[in-house]
Each structure stands twice: as structure tokens, then as C-alpha cells.
Amino acid sequence: MQHFPIFLAVAGRRIVLSGGGDAAMAKLRLLMKTQAHLTVIAAQIAPEIHRWAAQGKLRIITRAMEPGDALCAALFYAANENATEDARAAAIAHAEGALVNIVDNLADSQFITPAIVDRDPVTIAIGTEGAAPVLARAIKADLEARLPTSLGVLARIGKTFRHAVDVLPMGRKRRDFWSEFYFNTGPKALENDGESGVQKALEILLDTHTTATHTAGHVDLVGAGPGDPELLTLKARNALDKADVVIHDRLVTPEILELARREAIIIDAGKEGFGTAMAQSDIDALIVEHARNGAYVVRLKAGDPTVFGRLDEEIAAIEAAGLTYRIIPGITAASAAVANIGQSLTKRNRNSAVRLITGHDTKGYADHDWKALAQPGEVAAIYMGKKSARFIQGRLLMHGANPATPVTIIENVSRADQRVIATTLVEMEPTMSRANLTGPAITFYGLAPRHAQQAARQTPLTQPLEATS
Ligand code: SAH
């Protein structure tokens, strides 16, 4: 981020603009929405600007900018549509301590003016650091269409009422009150009875909320998918949007956590393979404790919560506490991984069943029906299979699996650093240890990438594996 967005307090402060033509007028139309004292300085000033001056909206000085003109100004705009005059005027303003913007000159500007959606006091600023003004305009148009013009009125009335709402406890209770106001009661009252109706509605609503009994919390057990935020379901996104508390596991990516509300409490309950950072019973207790306090808890799990996620233990704890819950499925690592190697999990005449197996469970390496898996055409997606690679390989070979059976390891599925490593059963363990897998990895037994080139393209390390660390 080269430009940090802020909202500057300009009421009662000076904003000076040098220029009197079209560029000046465009900026002034925006600036006149503020409560700043505007001064326009230029040798030639368009009649429209004179009219604004006559209406008391700004002050005019009809000459070129001189030293002293920008004293005490918070902001200065150079809008002369003349690079030499802009530079000269900007230098004066800069020396006098104003923040300087030169119209259409990003490099010499200290700040830029964003595209603005105005639902005062709700103001949305959109900036692309000068990279894509078209995009900014498109986003602006989109938001303009989506946000009712009444939003500003409701926010203005709502603001005067904020103090009264202090009687409600902070957090969920207050948020529930305001969301009901902005999205339900407020718009209805405004439409039916105008602004006075809104005031009355606020009072009634507050009364209802203060007398309401304690609301019990709720838990959503949510699948976060393999890592790419675009692979989240809409339900998962909405849950993150509203959660008071997010308890996530180690594999949930920062990009996904970023989608939680800024005020949400985010708790990392990450568990490392074999050794545990937080015992499952502690996680269960944590979920229950927050929900009991009335919080909306999102238990966020990588992939799908129903796949190797110890979901049932959490549900048992939630049910025992008499709380409500909902499961929101996610895209499991196996689904995202096969998609990326262009394969199906099942295929007619190849495999009519696919096994999701884990390399280890709480007791250590996990045992499976190796004899059945060793048959030709079998496919298994092996989760948590890094440490157990040698064990799995040995068991399969021992039970007669073909050493040339394709094996594909996909690390960091759906993330920027995804790697696909195509190998065979007999080479599986050495390949994996050479690959130095640091991220989560899923191993497909019985599947090769659809196109050898695809693997080569995605695997910078098919050649010297040691080269990547
Ligand atoms: N519930 C998860 C699985 C949790 S078990 C799911 O449905 O995907 C943890 C294992 O999942 C990891 O050891 C790894 O084998 C696999 N895994 C999870 N996310 C992954 C990713 N982005 N890339 C590769 N493997 C992943």
C-alpha cells in the first residue's frame, strides 16, 4: 500500500486551490461537500466559480498564487492545467506546510483524492493508487447502485442515538440492535413515516432490546477450504462476516482470517501433527465457553470440517452444553487437489470408489486395508501422510502393489506456493523427503497428473529436488 487511506477532519480548516478552469471546478464540486473554508486562487476564474463565491461557498483571489496564500491550509490542490504553474504554486504551498495534491500528477502529489460514494455521514473512498481509475469508477457505480440513498439519513439519525444505546452491553447486543435498525426497522420507518418516524422507531427498538432476555450463543462449524479465499462457500463468508469469535486451526490461511470482522476475537487453536499445541478437550471447552457467554462462535477448520476434523467431539461438547450449532461444509483438500491436477476422484472403468485415508491418527501411524488398496486401479487420497510416507509405501509394496503405481503429492493446494510432484509408489518416500515439504500436503495413491507437462509446469523441482527448500 503506497497510500494509506484516512478520513481527514477538515471542518473549519482551510483548503486552498490554485486554478480557475475545468479541473479546478471538478475538485471544487467535491470539496464543497465538506465544511472546510475554501479559497480559490487564479488569475482567470470561470464564471461558475464566481457564482459559488457569490453563494458564500468559497472565497476567490483573482491573481496568481503568491507566498503566504497557503498559510494554515490543511490541504492544497494545484489545478491550473499547466505543469509549470502547478509546480510553482505547489512549491509555495508545500513550504507553507500544506499537504499537496497536483491534479493528474501522481508522482509529485503527497496525497490523492479517491473516488467517493457519498451517503454522508457514510462515506466510501475507493483508491487504486492511480493504477486503474476505470476500475475505481466501476466500483463506485456498483456501490452507488447498491446503497440506498436513505442510508445517509439513517446513519445521521442513528448517530444522534448512539449515546442512548450505551445501556446495552458492548459487543453482540449492540451490534444486533444496530443491524436491526439499519437493515430492517430504520428503512421501514423512514419509508412509512419519514424522519420523525425513524426517531420513534429507534426508541421502541431500544426498549425491546433492553428488555430482551439473554441470548444464548451459537456455534457454526465451518469449512474454510484449502486456503484460497475464493474457494470459501458463501455461507462460510457470511459466517465470518458476523462471527464474534473465530477459533481456527493451523492450516487456515491469513487471507481467510482477514475476512473476519475486525472486532472479532481470533483464536489460533492450531494443532501440530503428533504433538498437540492445544488439546482437543481445551478447544471444545473454549468453543463452549464463548458460546455460553452469548457469542456467535465460528469454529473454522481447514478444508471440510467433516474430513479428519474431530468434528464429532466438538459437536458432543456443544450439545452437552445445550447450545445450537450448524455445520457449513467446505472444499476438502482432496477435491481441490484433484481439480488442480486435472483428474477425477472416481472414474468409470478405473476406480468406482475412492478412499480418504489418514497417514496417522491419535495413536500413531494408521492401519488400513492394505491388501485391498494394493489392487490395480485403486485410488486413495492420503491426508497427513508426510511423516508416514515410508510406512505407507512399505505396507502397500508388502501387500503386492505395483511399484510403478503413480503417486502424486500436492503441497499447499490452491495457494500461491502450490507444488505438484509426480512420482511412483517405489519412489514415493525418497521423493517426499527430498522435496522438503514444509506446507500441508496431500498424497494421491493411484493418480498421476492428467498431463505430464502440467506437473512439470507446476513443479519447479522435478529436476534437482534438493534445489528447493
Ligand atoms: N479437514 C481438512 C483435513 C484436515 S487434516 C480437509 O478437509 O482438507 C490435515 C491434512 O489435510 C493435512 O495434513 C494435509 O494432508 C491435508 N490438507 C489440508 N489442507 C491442505 C492444503 N491446502 N494442501 C494440501 N493438503 C492439505
Side-chain angles (χ1 to χ4, degrees), residues 270-281:
K271 292 201 297 293
E272 294 285 342
F274 289 114
T276 49
M278 195 186 270
Q280 184 60 46
S281 54

Side-chain angles (χ1 to χ4, degrees), residues 39-281:
T39 306
V40 179
I41 306 169
Q44 305 248 307
I45 291 182
E48 183 84 40
I49 302 179
H50 275 287
R51 258 200 301 284
W52 291 332
Q55 291 164 4
K57 291 181 176 163
L58 44 82
R59 238 161 48 84
I60 280 178
I61 301 177
T62 320
R63 58 160 168 74
M65 174 104 174
E66 284 174 9
D69 282 345
L71 280 175
C72 300
L75 300 178
F76 174 79
Y77 282 89
N80 294 286
E81 298 165 69
N82 171 326
T84 321
E85 181 55 12
D86 275 348
R88 192 190 68 82
I92 295 173
H94 185 62
E96 289 170 2
L99 273 179
V100 169
N101 171 277
I102 304 178
V103 173
D104 290 334
N105 182 347
L106 183 66
D108 296 326
S109 291
Q110 290 175 298
F111 71 94
I112 48 183
T113 315
I116 294 170
V117 180
D118 178 11
R119 296 287 186 275
D120 188 41
V122 179
T123 311
I124 302 167
I126 305 150
T128 62
E129 310 220 314
V134 177
L135 191 61
R137 275 197 293 278
I139 297 170
K140 176 177 151 86
D142 191 35
L143 290 171
E144 295 273 10
R146 242 188 296 167
L147 299 176
T149 38
S150 63
L151 193 72
V153 179
L154 290 179
R156 203 160 14 83
I157 302 172
K159 194 173 170 182
T160 64
F161 208 74
R162 285 204 84 80
H163 201 58
V165 181
D166 285 353
V167 297
L168 292 176
M170 274 227 294
R172 175 147 179 232
K173 283 272 198 179
R174 271 190 215 173
R175 273 200 312 279
D176 285 351
F177 172 85
W178 287 116
S179 42
E180 197 169 339
F181 170 64
Y182 283 116
F183 300 107
N184 187 10
T185 329
K188 273 190 210 149
L190 189 65
E191 196 172 317
N192 296 338
D193 309 306
E195 295 199 18
S196 58
V198 175
Q199 191 69 35
K200 186 95 202 109
L202 266 171
E203 281 155 26
I204 296 170
L205 188 64
L206 184 59
D207 206 44
T208 323
H209 277 246
T210 32
T211 50
T213 46
H214 171 79
T215 46
H218 169 88
V219 184
D220 273 349
L221 301 146
V222 181
D228 177 353
E230 292 196 338
L231 290 179
L232 276 174
T233 62
L234 265 181
K235 277 198 176 156
R237 270 215 73 146
N238 289 336
L240 276 175
D241 219 31
K242 299 203 184 76
D244 298 307
V245 179
V246 177
I247 303 174
H248 67 93
D249 65 29
R250 187 174 49 94
L251 294 179
V252 174
T253 54
E255 292 84 350
I256 287 176
L257 292 174
E258 189 75 18
L259 300 172
R261 276 184 327 109
R262 214 193 304 180
E263 303 78 31
I265 301 171
I266 312 260
I267 302 170
D268 181 353
K271 292 201 297 293
E272 294 285 342
F274 289 114
T276 49
M278 195 186 270
Q280 184 60 46
S281 54

